[in-house]
Amino acid sequence: MGNVDYSSSYPSSMNSDESEQHPRVVVPPPQPFFKFLKYSMKETFFPDDPLRRFKNQPPSKRLVLGLQYFFPIFEWGPSYTFQFLKSDLIAGITIASLAIPQGISYAKLANLPPILGLYSSFIPPLIYAMMGSSRDLAVGTVAVGSLLLGSMLSSEVNPIQNPNLFLHLAFTSTFFAGIFQASLGLFRLGFIVDFLSHATIVGFMGGAATVVCLQQLKSILGLQHFTHSADIISVMRSVFSQTHQWRWESAVLGFTFIFFLLLTRYFSKRKPKLFWVSAMAPLTSVILGSFLVYFTHAENHGVQVIGELKKGLNPPSMTDLVFVSPYMGTAIKTGIVVGIIALAEGIAVGRSFAMFKNYHIDGNKEMIAIGTMNVLGSFTSCYLTTGPFSRSAVNYNAGCKTAVSNIVMSIAVMLTLLFLTPLFHYTPLVVLAAIIVSAMLGLIDYEAAIHLWNVDKFDFFVCMSAYIGVVFASVEIGLVIAVALSVLRVLLFVTRPKTFVLGNIPNSGIYRNVEQYQNANHVPGILILEIDAPIYFANANYLRERITRWIDDEEDRIKDTGETSLQYLILDMSAVGNIDTSGISMLEEVNKIADRRGLQLVMVNPGSEVMKKLNKSKFQEKIGEKWIYLTVEEAVGACNFMLHTCKPNSKKDESEGWNKV
């Protein structure tokens, strides 16, 4: 069968000292409970060991390090150079040219006054520049977050009938989003965001982008009345039930600017050094559209304009927060949902660009920074902000060196608020719709969906479920469906772990999965199983039944092939990182099943936690230390020796006798 002859490596006679013939699997030394608890908490919540830099430091140094941890600007600020300033200045002005029209557009998307988009691009970037750890993240409002905020609040309060209440709820939702985000960072609970898998985000973003594009038909077609629902059926019904109100002037203008914006993006992709062409295109569209409306008086022919924008900096809004029932519950729910989405996008974007430039960002620190800027933003008439991909990509391509580019952008927005807002009076809403559509088309990542289909069909199913849920139901339902499917997959991994039959690779002591390695041979008289997951209450019963079935299948195979009858069951525990009491009970049942069938249970390489619990539960004594081995090769060698030196019918009696030694 191509198996290694292990009998030569074992003595010809067995005695009470046989257990000393192979290295034993050692039981870890006992640890005090509180020491073990401290270690477990550290591994769970502090895998990156953020307090390492504070060790063996005097109090004054610890204070400085603490300030640098929460305010990274104190760490890189002293080494800031004039060369960095020149690069950040160019990048900041470039992203400001994109932030101003996008801010106005996304505020309209959230059913909020357009000026709030500029307010939200002034204060939050300043806060992030001091607290954020990413050099490339450009802070501002995002389309998906704006849509989600607007749709969730619109289901409770009509933004047209109660504009002030709607505005105050937007501030309150932003406040709770910030509290939630900062709390995740402070309590090291960032793993919650990881439940938004890559497939979930691809489908959710694509669905939200589709809905956002469809909703822009209101401005592109010049419609006065439009549905507040976000699903495709309601939007299409609203569009085609008002065909008599379509304005061809507005439609021509809209599609012209969409074509212009997509053309500049295509040009910038073909010529990466000319990235600024695409970055300046939205502001150029606003300027051209405003001039066109002003000189042609198109506002009198169905082309809607922004109208008057209030001049001046952010007014305080702390007293506008709503903490009364029933609106407080709506604000909390909305804040948590949009806060998670904003975190997922901001951290993912920050990590992507950090990888390109080969530096590290702290996810928990980013949560604290994003949460803080949203809390303080809610006090200064800002709504939800994070690090959008489009703006951050422009910042990266513009050659930014540090977060000072956010400060430059903030100053540019401040000057706009102080002096330039009257110039936006004639800006047509259709141009803002074109800016949103061109930005959203980039979020429909069909190539990623095709990749998911090719690699993992279940991930593709999760992606499409999120997309269909968002497009045909609502943004919240789509998100819930996608997260539920992702959690279901995690539960399936936990409750239905893989088990494999291992065989011997010819002319070696290596044992591998016989389904993966076609040349791997079954060892006569021995069934070798690998358990590929921790053993918990959730999967213990499944594993017991699956092991029993493997034994049945192996005995059927032996009957068909006429090989040596099954004598040993080897469980490779190398991948079992932990086990609970239900898992130990399962092993005891498996041992009894093996005993009834005349089989000897053998275990290989239990980990430290597993070995510790097997020892405390006395299971180790039940099967005997001599039947626990470090490697599969050693276990097979011992079993082969027994098969060649003992009669099959007396194997069980002899093994029981040795276990008593």
Side-chain angles (χ1 to χ4, degrees), residues 111-126:
N111 299 317
L112 295 170
I115 193 66
L116 258 68
L118 296 182
Y119 290 161
S120 301
S121 297
F122 172 43
I123 297 295
L126 291 176

Side-chain angles (χ1 to χ4, degrees), residues 205-206 365 576 621:
M205 290 294 187
K365 192 186 300 184
V576 181
E621 297 177 5

Side-chain angles (χ1 to χ4, degrees), residues 216-222 247 250-252 254-255 258 430 433-434 437:
Q216 301 318 300
L217 291 173
K218 173 188 177 182
S219 298
I220 292 174
L221 298 175
R247 297 284 186 173
S250 182
V252 169
F255 286 112
I258 290 174
V430 68
V437 170

